[in-house]
Amino acid sequence: MSRVIKFRAWSGERMADLVPTKGATLGMLSDLVEEERWSVMQFTGLTDRNGVEIYEKDLCRDMGGSVGVIEWSEVECGWLWISESEAQTPFSECEVIGNKYEHPKLMEVAE
């Protein structure tokens, strides 16, 4: 089983998919991001309850209505759903409702 490595990026005005091509390196991606001032989000390899791909910085709502943001944890060495709720909701039970860049008002709910 192999994991798909994908990224998307927010320019401040639009979202773009960054699809690695044969021979591309993370250094090339880093150069693009630095030159254009893009905010990059990595695909987690997970999907929500509707089959929508979950990316870093996505905002997700659990079945109880709590909203959280998806973040990488160096301590846990994995993706976490960070919310005010103490509950540890499985990603498969959450629903992606936006991301912190395109939907900053939803981010206020998650904080």
Side-chain angles (χ1 to χ4, degrees), residues 43-56:
F43 175 51
T44 64
L46 305 167
T47 56
D48 73 359
R49 68 177 179 226
N50 299 316
V52 174
E53 293 178 339
I54 300 174
Y55 282 80
E56 178 180 16

Side-chain angles (χ1 to χ4, degrees), residues 74-86:
E74 293 289 332
V75 174
E76 300 289 331
C77 295
W79 298 103
L80 298 179
W81 178 69
I82 310 294
S83 74
E84 288 183 355
S85 168
E86 297 285 324

Side-chain angles (χ1 to χ4, degrees), residues 12-102:
E13 297 177 5
R14 67 184 179 95
M15 190 69 72
D17 290 326
L18 301 176
V19 180
T21 58
K22 190 173 185 176
T25 66
L26 286 179
M28 291 174 177
L29 175 63
S30 176
D31 291 345
L32 171 68
V33 169
E34 199 169 294
E35 288 174 21
E36 301 292 329
R37 305 210 189 283
W38 293 76
S39 298
V40 176
M41 294 153 277
Q42 184 175 352
F43 175 51
T44 64
L46 305 167
T47 56
D48 73 359
R49 68 177 179 226
N50 299 316
V52 174
E53 293 178 339
I54 300 174
Y55 282 80
E56 178 180 16
K57 306 297 184 199
D58 273 350
L59 300 172
C60 296
R61 180 177 29 232
D62 70 7
M63 296 176 89
S66 295
V67 175
V69 64
I70 305 302
E71 298 281 357
W72 175 259
S73 169
E74 293 289 332
V75 174
E76 300 289 331
C77 295
W79 298 103
L80 298 179
W81 178 69
I82 310 294
S83 74
E84 288 183 355
S85 168
E86 297 285 324
Q88 293 297 312
T89 303
F91 291 107
S92 62
E93 294 180 15
C94 292
E95 176 181 24
V96 174
I97 58 171
N99 63 68
K100 76 176 241 171
Y101 300 106
E102 292 178 296

